[in-house]
Amino acid sequence: MDNQKADIGFIGLAVMGQNLVQNIASKGFSVAVYNRTAAITREYIETVDSENISPAYSLSDLCNSIKSPKRIMLMVKAGEAVDEVIDQLLPNLHKGDALLDMGNSNYKDTQRRTHQLTEKGILYSGVGVSGGEEGALNGPSIMFGGSKELFTEVEALIKSISAMDFQGAATLTYVGPDGAGHYAKMVHNGIEYAMMQAISEAYFLLRDVFHKDPSEIAAVFANLNEGPLNSYLIQITADVLNKRDDLTEGFLIDKILDVAEQKGTGSWVSISALENGTALNILTEAVFARSLSADKQTRIKLAELSTKNELEKNSRDKNLPDDKQLHKLVEDSLLVSFYLAFIQGFHLLAKAEAENNWQINLSELTRIWQGGCIIRAELLKDLKRYTETKAVLIENEELFKMINGKIPSLRELALMATSHALPLPVMQNSLLYFDSMINPNLPTNLIQGLRDYFGAHTYKRTDREGIFHTNWDDQN
Ligand code: NBP
C-alpha cells in the first residue's frame, strides 16, 4: 500500500548523507535509505532513533519501498559513482520518477545526465548543497537546478530542511534548468576558496611580519568578526587558532602541515572561466595557492638557498603600524578581497547564465548564501542590494566607491608583504584586478602589435573604425 511507503528514497550514507537524512526525517518526512556497503546502512539504522527512517539493502528494495512517482536523492561521491548509481537504478524507474543529485557534481555531468534521463521521461535535478556536515544536519543553503516542475513539487520538503536568510526565509532557491544549480554551487566553492586563502594570508602577515602568536591572532579575528567582516569563516578562524594541541604542548595550528588539499570544485570554476573568457584571477590564485603548497620539499630546499631571511631582517621593525592601524589594514584588505571574490564569481555566473540561457537570479543567490553555507557573511546583505540593480557588479557606483576607499590599505599591506617576501596571492591579485579594471589604457596594444607582426592576426585602432594589418618588416 502506497500510504505505508516512504515519501522519498535516499542513496549514499557517508557523512553528508547521514546528516541530510536525519534533517529530512526530523521534519516529518519518511525516508527509505540505501548505501552500497550494507554494513553502513545497518550501523546507521542502529544509531539513528527515528521511525521516519527505514533501511533498504538493494536498489530494487529501495524503489519498492517508496511512493510513486518515485523521488530519490543521491548523495554519493561526485563523478563515476553517480553514473553507476543511475545505471543501476534505471531498470527500477518509470516515466515521471525523479532523481535529485544532491552531491557536488560537475555541472557538465549534470547537463549530460539531464539530457540522458529526460529522453527516458525521468526528471533529473542537480542540487547544490552547501554547509558541510553541520549544515546538512541543521540546515544547508540549497541551490536547486533542473526541472521547475519538480522543484515546485518538492519545494515544501526542501524548504523545511534548509537554513534561514537574514530575514528568516528559507535559504533555498530555484537557480535554473539542467546544470544551473551545480554551477552556482561550483562558483560558491570558488568564492569559498578565495575567502579562506585571504584569511590565511592575513594570518600569515600577523604571524610572520608582526610575530603574533595564535591566540593573539585569534583575538584579532574575533575582533574583526564584530565588524563588517562578520562571517562564518572569520568566526571559525578564531576558534581554529585558539585550539590547543591534544598531543603536545602549544597550539594545534602550529602542528598542522601547510599542505592544503582540494576536491575539484575550485579548479572547475577556473576551468569554466578560462573556457568562457572571464577574468577570475582571484579565485584561481586561491586554487594555485593550494597546488603550490603541495611542493613542500622543494619549498624547504629553496628556502635554504634564497636570500629571504636577509630581506626579512632588513625589513624588520621598519615603521610597522601599531595595532589599531594594523586592524584597519587587515580589515580593509580582507573586505576588498572578499568583495572582489564575489564580484568575479558573479561576473562568471552572469556570463555562464547568458551562454546557457539559465536566467539565474543573482540577487537570490546573495540571499540564500546568507545562511547555512560556508560563505555566509554579513556583506551579503549589501551585495543583495547591489545585485538588485542588475548592473555588472563592479560598475555599481556605491559598491565601487566603497572598495575604492579601502584600496589604499590593501596597497600598503601588499607593499609590506612584498618587502618581507611574503606571498599573498589572493590579496595581491585583488589589487591587480582592481588596478587593471581602473586603467583605461592597458599595455595590450603592444600584444596586438606583436600578434599582428608574427601571425597577421590584425588589430583595431583607437582613432578609426575597421580591422588593420601592417607589414611590420617595412621599416619606414
Ligand atoms: P563521499 O563524497 O566520500 O562519498 C561517499 C559515498 O559515496 C558513500 O555512501 C559511498 O558508498 C558512495 N559511493 C561511492 Br564512493 N562509490 C559508489 C558507487 N559506485 N555506487 C554507489 N555508491 C557509491 O561522501 P560525502 O563527503 O558525504 O559527500 C557526498 C557528496 O556531497 C559528494 O558529492 C560531496 O562532494 C558532496 N558534498 C560534501 C560536503 C562535505 O562537507 N563533505 C559538502 C557539500 C557537498 P560506500 O559506503 O559503499 O563506499
Side-chain angles (χ1 to χ4, degrees), residues 165-177:
D165 67 17
F166 296 149
Q167 306 297 322
T171 52
L172 158 72
T173 198
Y174 176 74
V175 184

Side-chain angles (χ1 to χ4, degrees), residues 23 120 326:
N23 185 352
K120 298 183 194 307
L326 178 63

